[in-house]
Every structure is written in structure tokens, then in C-alpha cells.
Amino acid sequence: MTSVFCPTCETERDCDRSNRLETLDIRGVPITISAIYHSCTVCGNEFEGDRDVDPLEVAYGKYRELRGLLKPSEIKQSYAGWGLSRELFAALLGMSPNTLYRYEKGGLQDAAHDNLIRACTSVAGMVRLVNDKSNMLKDVQLRKVQKAAKTKFIADVTMSDSEYFSRQEDDVNVGESHTQTYHAIEMIG
């Protein structure tokens, strides 16, 4: 028994605590989570407990994991790691900054947006995006992206070729040299 605020009695009351499994429908996929409930020993009212944990947020996390989607922190890192603001990154991707903000705060992205954001986590993907939209960047922003791309490229070169090509997925064709990718980075702007 724990003492919690009962919304019916409008005061602290001794309440029995229980855990229940609940299944939520997240985009047509049943996601089961554990939810905490309290039952007031005075009025008998039953209400959800542990307001610090949002059941929908937990369900979204499980859905992301199940579908292989980026986590909110990974979405923010996808542009912050390049030295870009949310607004500029969103403009480069052709989406609203509010959409990115929603995803960073736990909103559930669709697969198309996830793939678009994920493509920009690789050097080759960002090089392509910047080359396509270089007119949207100021010189200082372009230099930041170029510097970050070179740093990430150097980190990639330290991996073995098999690790490099498997990590880059469709961004780099097997047989394409690291030198070609490096020259593409230098061509930004």
C-alpha cells in the first residue's frame, strides 16, 4: 500500500498498487506495455499511477525498436553532428522544423522521414544532400558541414573496407574507393 493523491477524494489516501499489461495499437501494430494503477482504499476509485512515465512514450519506444526507427536522441544528433540547426536541416530535407522538433520530443516518425534523416547520418548521404541543396547554405554553414564530413570520413577510413561498405549500405558501391568519397567531400560548395 502506498500513499498517493486520489483524484476523487482530492487528497492523499492509502492506495493499493497493481501492474497491468495493456496493449496499445500503434499504427496497426499491437504493442504491450506494463501500466501502474492505484485503487483508493477509501472511495474505491481506480486510476492510473506513476505519471512520470507516459505509457504512449513507452509504446512508441517499443514500436521504434520493432520497426528499426531512429530514437529521438538519434534524430537530433543527425543534424547537430553536422553543425546544422534544426531549421536548416529541415529545410535541406524539405520538411518543417516543427516536424523534426516533434520527432525529437518523442513523436513517432514515419518510415519515409526516418529513411531520409538516416541517409544524412553517413558522409556520402550528407555530401549528396549538400551538393543538391548547396544554394541553401551560407558559406560558414557549408564550411561546418565540410569539416564535419572530413572528420567523419577519417573515422570511416580507419575501419576495414568490409565494415565501411556494410555500414554505408547503398551510399557507397563496393569497389568505390575512399579517395573518391574524399574528393566528393571536397566538392561540397
Side-chain angles (χ1 to χ4, degrees), residues 126-154:
M126 184 53 83
V127 166
R128 256 190 244 120
L129 179 66
V130 170
N131 281 336
D132 289 346
K133 308 275 179 121
S134 62
N135 61 324
M136 297 177 77
L137 295 171
K138 295 177 185 171
D139 287 340
V140 67
Q141 294 166 324
L142 191 58
R143 283 192 298 277
K144 276 184 183 179
V145 173
Q146 189 174 26
K147 182 178 179 183
K150 287 179 183 178
T151 302
K152 289 180 184 229
F153 171 77
I154 290 167

mmCIF file of all heavy atoms in Angstrom, residues 126-154:
data_model
loop_
_atom_site.group_PDB
_atom_site.id
_atom_site.type_symbol
_atom_site.label_atom_id
_atom_site.label_comp_id
_atom_site.label_asym_id
_atom_site.label_seq_id
_atom_site.Cartn_x
_atom_site.Cartn_y
_atom_site.Cartn_z
ATOM 1 N N MET A 126 25.136 12.857 -46.672
ATOM 2 C CA MET A 126 25.168 14.303 -46.430
ATOM 3 C C MET A 126 25.824 15.041 -47.593
ATOM 4 O O MET A 126 25.383 16.124 -47.975
ATOM 5 C CB MET A 126 25.889 14.613 -45.119
ATOM 6 C CG MET A 126 25.874 16.092 -44.758
ATOM 7 S SD MET A 126 24.231 16.872 -44.724
ATOM 8 C CE MET A 126 23.675 16.433 -43.097
ATOM 9 N N VAL A 127 26.867 14.447 -48.166
ATOM 10 C CA VAL A 127 27.522 15.066 -49.325
ATOM 11 C C VAL A 127 26.505 15.231 -50.453
ATOM 12 O O VAL A 127 26.393 16.287 -51.069
ATOM 13 C CB VAL A 127 28.743 14.235 -49.788
ATOM 14 C CG1 VAL A 127 29.212 14.669 -51.168
ATOM 15 C CG2 VAL A 127 29.874 14.357 -48.784
ATOM 16 N N ARG A 128 25.733 14.181 -50.709
ATOM 17 C CA ARG A 128 24.703 14.255 -51.756
ATOM 18 C C ARG A 128 23.689 15.347 -51.466
ATOM 19 O O ARG A 128 23.325 16.139 -52.341
ATOM 20 C CB ARG A 128 23.988 12.914 -51.895
ATOM 21 C CG ARG A 128 24.444 12.162 -53.099
ATOM 22 C CD ARG A 128 23.551 10.961 -53.357
ATOM 23 N NE ARG A 128 24.410 9.804 -53.185
ATOM 24 C CZ ARG A 128 24.233 8.842 -52.304
ATOM 25 N NH1 ARG A 128 23.206 8.839 -51.510
ATOM 26 N NH2 ARG A 128 25.071 7.844 -52.215
ATOM 27 N N LEU A 129 23.210 15.391 -50.225
ATOM 28 C CA LEU A 129 22.199 16.378 -49.851
ATOM 29 C C LEU A 129 22.742 17.794 -50.007
ATOM 30 O O LEU A 129 22.085 18.662 -50.581
ATOM 31 C CB LEU A 129 21.745 16.147 -48.398
ATOM 32 C CG LEU A 129 20.708 17.130 -47.871
ATOM 33 C CD1 LEU A 129 19.386 16.982 -48.622
ATOM 34 C CD2 LEU A 129 20.484 16.918 -46.379
ATOM 35 N N VAL A 130 23.945 18.029 -49.504
ATOM 36 C CA VAL A 130 24.538 19.368 -49.576
ATOM 37 C C VAL A 130 24.822 19.761 -51.022
ATOM 38 O O VAL A 130 24.606 20.902 -51.418
ATOM 39 C CB VAL A 130 25.801 19.457 -48.689
ATOM 40 C CG1 VAL A 130 26.552 20.747 -48.939
ATOM 41 C CG2 VAL A 130 25.402 19.355 -47.220
ATOM 42 N N ASN A 131 25.293 18.819 -51.827
ATOM 43 C CA ASN A 131 25.527 19.135 -53.242
ATOM 44 C C ASN A 131 24.221 19.506 -53.942
ATOM 45 O O ASN A 131 24.190 20.425 -54.756
ATOM 46 C CB ASN A 131 26.195 17.965 -53.965
ATOM 47 C CG ASN A 131 27.680 17.896 -53.687
ATOM 48 O OD1 ASN A 131 28.312 18.889 -53.350
ATOM 49 N ND2 ASN A 131 28.243 16.713 -53.815
ATOM 50 N N ASP A 132 23.141 18.810 -53.596
ATOM 51 C CA ASP A 132 21.844 19.094 -54.211
ATOM 52 C C ASP A 132 21.253 20.426 -53.739
ATOM 53 O O ASP A 132 20.539 21.089 -54.481
ATOM 54 C CB ASP A 132 20.839 17.983 -53.904
ATOM 55 C CG ASP A 132 21.147 16.691 -54.628
ATOM 56 O OD1 ASP A 132 21.982 16.709 -55.567
ATOM 57 O OD2 ASP A 132 20.564 15.648 -54.253
ATOM 58 N N LYS A 133 21.542 20.811 -52.505
ATOM 59 C CA LYS A 133 20.900 21.989 -51.912
ATOM 60 C C LYS A 133 21.909 23.033 -51.440
ATOM 61 O O LYS A 133 21.620 23.810 -50.541
ATOM 62 C CB LYS A 133 20.064 21.549 -50.698
ATOM 63 C CG LYS A 133 19.102 20.424 -50.944
ATOM 64 C CD LYS A 133 17.806 20.934 -51.497
ATOM 65 C CE LYS A 133 16.860 19.780 -51.765
ATOM 66 N NZ LYS A 133 15.628 19.840 -51.052
ATOM 67 N N SER A 134 23.090 23.070 -52.044
ATOM 68 C CA SER A 134 24.156 23.968 -51.578
ATOM 69 C C SER A 134 23.737 25.432 -51.606
ATOM 70 O O SER A 134 24.243 26.240 -50.825
ATOM 71 C CB SER A 134 25.436 23.765 -52.383
ATOM 72 O OG SER A 134 25.213 24.062 -53.743
ATOM 73 N N ASN A 135 22.807 25.797 -52.465
ATOM 74 C CA ASN A 135 22.353 27.183 -52.532
ATOM 75 C C ASN A 135 21.618 27.616 -51.263
ATOM 76 O O ASN A 135 21.438 28.803 -51.023
ATOM 77 C CB ASN A 135 21.450 27.394 -53.753
ATOM 78 C CG ASN A 135 20.210 26.532 -53.696
ATOM 79 O OD1 ASN A 135 20.242 25.391 -53.218
ATOM 80 N ND2 ASN A 135 19.112 27.054 -54.194
ATOM 81 N N MET A 136 21.218 26.668 -50.430
ATOM 82 C CA MET A 136 20.500 26.987 -49.196
ATOM 83 C C MET A 136 21.443 27.270 -48.034
ATOM 84 O O MET A 136 21.009 27.723 -46.976
ATOM 85 C CB MET A 136 19.562 25.836 -48.819
ATOM 86 C CG MET A 136 18.481 25.569 -49.833
ATOM 87 S SD MET A 136 17.466 24.163 -49.385
ATOM 88 C CE MET A 136 16.443 24.909 -48.130
ATOM 89 N N LEU A 137 22.737 26.973 -48.210
ATOM 90 C CA LEU A 137 23.702 27.112 -47.118
ATOM 91 C C LEU A 137 24.525 28.387 -47.258
ATOM 92 O O LEU A 137 24.935 28.746 -48.356
ATOM 93 C CB LEU A 137 24.654 25.915 -47.094
ATOM 94 C CG LEU A 137 24.054 24.560 -46.787
ATOM 95 C CD1 LEU A 137 25.077 23.463 -47.030
ATOM 96 C CD2 LEU A 137 23.550 24.495 -45.358
ATOM 97 N N LYS A 138 24.775 29.033 -46.141
ATOM 98 C CA LYS A 138 25.709 30.157 -46.104
ATOM 99 C C LYS A 138 27.110 29.561 -46.097
ATOM 100 O O LYS A 138 27.306 28.395 -45.755
ATOM 101 C CB LYS A 138 25.485 30.987 -44.849
ATOM 102 C CG LYS A 138 24.127 31.656 -44.809
ATOM 103 C CD LYS A 138 23.933 32.394 -43.511
ATOM 104 C CE LYS A 138 22.515 32.953 -43.448
ATOM 105 N NZ LYS A 138 22.220 33.484 -42.130
ATOM 106 N N ASP A 139 28.107 30.363 -46.459
ATOM 107 C CA ASP A 139 29.490 29.876 -46.512
ATOM 108 C C ASP A 139 29.931 29.261 -45.191
ATOM 109 O O ASP A 139 30.561 28.210 -45.166
ATOM 110 C CB ASP A 139 30.455 30.994 -46.912
ATOM 111 C CG ASP A 139 30.347 31.348 -48.391
ATOM 112 O OD1 ASP A 139 29.829 30.513 -49.170
ATOM 113 O OD2 ASP A 139 30.784 32.453 -48.753
ATOM 114 N N VAL A 140 29.600 29.908 -44.085
ATOM 115 C CA VAL A 140 30.023 29.395 -42.778
ATOM 116 C C VAL A 140 29.359 28.041 -42.485
ATOM 117 O O VAL A 140 29.986 27.137 -41.935
ATOM 118 C CB VAL A 140 29.759 30.426 -41.643
ATOM 119 C CG1 VAL A 140 28.275 30.651 -41.411
ATOM 120 C CG2 VAL A 140 30.459 30.010 -40.380
ATOM 121 N N GLN A 141 28.100 27.879 -42.870
ATOM 122 C CA GLN A 141 27.412 26.606 -42.677
ATOM 123 C C GLN A 141 28.017 25.522 -43.558
ATOM 124 O O GLN A 141 28.196 24.387 -43.137
ATOM 125 C CB GLN A 141 25.919 26.766 -42.980
ATOM 126 C CG GLN A 141 25.208 27.664 -42.006
ATOM 127 C CD GLN A 141 23.846 28.082 -42.506
ATOM 128 O OE1 GLN A 141 23.643 28.305 -43.701
ATOM 129 N NE2 GLN A 141 22.901 28.211 -41.581
ATOM 130 N N LEU A 142 28.340 25.905 -44.776
ATOM 131 C CA LEU A 142 28.955 24.967 -45.706
ATOM 132 C C LEU A 142 30.296 24.481 -45.165
ATOM 133 O O LEU A 142 30.598 23.287 -45.221
ATOM 134 C CB LEU A 142 29.130 25.640 -47.070
ATOM 135 C CG LEU A 142 29.512 24.756 -48.241
ATOM 136 C CD1 LEU A 142 28.491 23.658 -48.445
ATOM 137 C CD2 LEU A 142 29.631 25.600 -49.489
ATOM 138 N N ARG A 143 31.085 25.386 -44.612
ATOM 139 C CA ARG A 143 32.384 25.002 -44.041
ATOM 140 C C ARG A 143 32.217 24.075 -42.841
ATOM 141 O O ARG A 143 32.985 23.138 -42.667
ATOM 142 C CB ARG A 143 33.196 26.243 -43.668
ATOM 143 C CG ARG A 143 33.821 26.926 -44.897
ATOM 144 C CD ARG A 143 34.852 27.965 -44.510
ATOM 145 N NE ARG A 143 34.318 29.065 -43.718
ATOM 146 C CZ ARG A 143 33.705 30.139 -44.209
ATOM 147 N NH1 ARG A 143 33.546 30.269 -45.510
ATOM 148 N NH2 ARG A 143 33.268 31.096 -43.418
ATOM 149 N N LYS A 144 31.191 24.323 -42.013
ATOM 150 C CA LYS A 144 30.935 23.452 -40.857
ATOM 151 C C LYS A 144 30.613 22.037 -41.321
ATOM 152 O O LYS A 144 31.119 21.053 -40.786
ATOM 153 C CB LYS A 144 29.756 23.976 -40.023
ATOM 154 C CG LYS A 144 30.102 25.026 -39.038
ATOM 155 C CD LYS A 144 28.855 25.361 -38.227
ATOM 156 C CE LYS A 144 29.094 26.465 -37.239
ATOM 157 N NZ LYS A 144 27.880 26.799 -36.476
ATOM 158 N N VAL A 145 29.738 21.926 -42.304
ATOM 159 C CA VAL A 145 29.362 20.609 -42.824
ATOM 160 C C VAL A 145 30.571 19.942 -43.462
ATOM 161 O O VAL A 145 30.815 18.744 -43.262
ATOM 162 C CB VAL A 145 28.192 20.707 -43.836
ATOM 163 C CG1 VAL A 145 27.921 19.371 -44.481
ATOM 164 C CG2 VAL A 145 26.948 21.231 -43.136
ATOM 165 N N GLN A 146 31.336 20.698 -44.215
ATOM 166 C CA GLN A 146 32.526 20.140 -44.874
ATOM 167 C C GLN A 146 33.521 19.623 -43.840
ATOM 168 O O GLN A 146 34.053 18.522 -43.975
ATOM 169 C CB GLN A 146 33.171 21.207 -45.758
ATOM 170 C CG GLN A 146 34.265 20.665 -46.648
ATOM 171 C CD GLN A 146 34.781 21.729 -47.602
ATOM 172 O OE1 GLN A 146 34.701 22.917 -47.320
ATOM 173 N NE2 GLN A 146 35.315 21.302 -48.717
ATOM 174 N N LYS A 147 33.754 20.401 -42.783
ATOM 175 C CA LYS A 147 34.685 19.988 -41.728
ATOM 176 C C LYS A 147 34.170 18.719 -41.031
ATOM 177 O O LYS A 147 34.928 17.778 -40.793
ATOM 178 C CB LYS A 147 34.862 21.110 -40.708
ATOM 179 C CG LYS A 147 35.845 20.781 -39.614
ATOM 180 C CD LYS A 147 36.016 21.941 -38.655
ATOM 181 C CE LYS A 147 36.987 21.556 -37.553
ATOM 182 N NZ LYS A 147 37.123 22.627 -36.559
ATOM 183 N N ALA A 148 32.877 18.691 -40.704
ATOM 184 C CA ALA A 148 32.298 17.510 -40.057
ATOM 185 C C ALA A 148 32.377 16.294 -40.980
ATOM 186 O O ALA A 148 32.666 15.181 -40.536
ATOM 187 C CB ALA A 148 30.842 17.780 -39.658
ATOM 188 N N ALA A 149 32.145 16.493 -42.288
ATOM 189 C CA ALA A 149 32.223 15.381 -43.244
ATOM 190 C C ALA A 149 33.634 14.827 -43.312
ATOM 191 O O ALA A 149 33.831 13.601 -43.338
ATOM 192 C CB ALA A 149 31.767 15.843 -44.629
ATOM 193 N N LYS A 150 34.630 15.694 -43.327
ATOM 194 C CA LYS A 150 36.025 15.229 -43.362
ATOM 195 C C LYS A 150 36.371 14.452 -42.097
ATOM 196 O O LYS A 150 37.017 13.408 -42.160
ATOM 197 C CB LYS A 150 36.981 16.407 -43.554
ATOM 198 C CG LYS A 150 36.955 16.957 -44.962
ATOM 199 C CD LYS A 150 37.901 18.139 -45.110
ATOM 200 C CE LYS A 150 37.798 18.708 -46.526
ATOM 201 N NZ LYS A 150 38.662 19.876 -46.716
ATOM 202 N N THR A 151 35.913 14.951 -40.946
ATOM 203 C CA THR A 151 36.166 14.257 -39.677
ATOM 204 C C THR A 151 35.514 12.882 -39.674
ATOM 205 O O THR A 151 36.136 11.894 -39.299
ATOM 206 C CB THR A 151 35.641 15.103 -38.499
ATOM 207 O OG1 THR A 151 36.282 16.367 -38.520
ATOM 208 C CG2 THR A 151 35.895 14.414 -37.174
ATOM 209 N N LYS A 152 34.270 12.815 -40.115
ATOM 210 C CA LYS A 152 33.566 11.525 -40.162
ATOM 211 C C LYS A 152 34.204 10.605 -41.188
ATOM 212 O O LYS A 152 34.289 9.403 -40.981
ATOM 213 C CB LYS A 152 32.081 11.720 -40.461
ATOM 214 C CG LYS A 152 31.326 12.316 -39.313
ATOM 215 C CD LYS A 152 29.870 12.492 -39.653
ATOM 216 C CE LYS A 152 29.149 13.177 -38.523
ATOM 217 N NZ LYS A 152 27.941 12.510 -38.130
ATOM 218 N N PHE A 153 34.664 11.172 -42.308
ATOM 219 C CA PHE A 153 35.319 10.363 -43.330
ATOM 220 C C PHE A 153 36.582 9.729 -42.772
ATOM 221 O O PHE A 153 36.837 8.548 -42.958
ATOM 222 C CB PHE A 153 35.656 11.203 -44.560
ATOM 223 C CG PHE A 153 36.515 10.469 -45.547
ATOM 224 C CD1 PHE A 153 35.967 9.516 -46.375
ATOM 225 C CD2 PHE A 153 37.877 10.706 -45.613
ATOM 226 C CE1 PHE A 153 36.756 8.813 -47.267
ATOM 227 C CE2 PHE A 153 38.674 10.011 -46.504
ATOM 228 C CZ PHE A 153 38.113 9.067 -47.329
ATOM 229 N N ILE A 154 37.390 10.503 -42.051
ATOM 230 C CA ILE A 154 38.624 9.982 -41.462
ATOM 231 C C ILE A 154 38.298 8.842 -40.503
ATOM 232 O O ILE A 154 38.971 7.818 -40.485
ATOM 233 C CB ILE A 154 39.422 11.108 -40.771
ATOM 234 C CG1 ILE A 154 39.984 12.045 -41.845
ATOM 235 C CG2 ILE A 154 40.529 10.555 -39.889
ATOM 236 C CD1 ILE A 154 40.520 13.359 -41.311
#
